[in-house]
C-alpha cells in the first residue's frame, strides 16, 4: 500500500445501519470485507472476505479497488449519487463517501481523522538572579550575581 506525504491523515471505515455508526475500524492494507468489523461479527455471505482492497492512502483520499465477486456501489458525499464499482477497477474515495459492500447491503462511510496537533512546548523556567553554590576543588563556593557578570 502506498502512503503519500508526511503527516498523512488516518482514515476510518464506519459501518452504518440506518445512518447510525455501529462499528468503526481503521483503514489498513488488509482492506474491507466480511470480517472487518469485530463489534457486529461476520457480515452476510453476500460480502467477500476481502470485498475492497485499500491500495493507497493520502491526505485527501483513499484509493480502493473492488476484489470481491459481489457488486459494490459508491455514493459520493458530493457529486453523482451512485457509482457501481467494476471488479479490479480502482477509484478514489473522499471524506464522507459511503461504499455499499454488496448491492444495497453493508454501508461503510470513509472518514478522515486528522493527526492531533503537537502540544505546545512548556515555557522555559525564568532564571532568577541570586547566590548559587558550585563545587570547585571539592568545596562549595559562593557564586552570586557578582561572579556571574
Amino acid at each position: 500500500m502506498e502512503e503519500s506525504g508526511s503527516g498523512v491523515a488516518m482514515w476510518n471505515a464506519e459501518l452504518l445501519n440506518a445512518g447510525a455508526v455501529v462499528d468503526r475500524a481503521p483503514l489498513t492494507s488488509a482492506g474491507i470485507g466480511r470480517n472487518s468489523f469485530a463489534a457486529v461479527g461476520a457480515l452476510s455471505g453476500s460480502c467477500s472476505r476481502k470485498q475492497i482492497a485499500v491500495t493507497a492512502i493520502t491526505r485527501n483520499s483513499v484509493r480502493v479497488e473492488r476484489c470481491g465477486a459481489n457488486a459494490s456501489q459508491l455514493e459520493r458525499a458530493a457529486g453523482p449519487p451512485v457509482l457501481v464499482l467494476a471488479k479490479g477497477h480502482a477509484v478514489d474515495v473522499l471524506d464522507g463517501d459511503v461504499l455499499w459492500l454488496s448491492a444495497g447491503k453493508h454501508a461503510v462511510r470513509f472518514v478522515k481523522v486528522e493527526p492531533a496537533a503537537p502540544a505546545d512546548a512548556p515555557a522555559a523556567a525564568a532564571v532568577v538572579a541570586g547566590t548559587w553554590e558550585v563545587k570547585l576543588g571539592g568545596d562549595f563556593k559562593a557564586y552570586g550575581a557578582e561572579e556571574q557578570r
Side-chain angles (χ1 to χ4, degrees), residues 50-53 55 63-74 76 82-93 99-101 103:
K50 187 169 183 179
Q51 181 71 19
I52 301 294
T55 58
R63 178 158 291 162
V64 298
E65 179 180 322
R66 184 182 127 210
C67 298
N70 299 299
S72 293
Q73 299 171 334
L74 178 64
R76 296 279 187 196
V82 176
L83 173 67
V84 177
L85 299 182
K87 187 172 183 177
H89 178 74
V91 63
D92 288 337
V93 178
L99 182 70
W100 293 86
L101 297 181

Side-chain angles (χ1 to χ4, degrees), residues 16-30:
L16 306 175
N17 184 5
V21 177
V22 294
D23 197 5
R24 178 178 291 118
L27 282 178
T28 67
S29 59

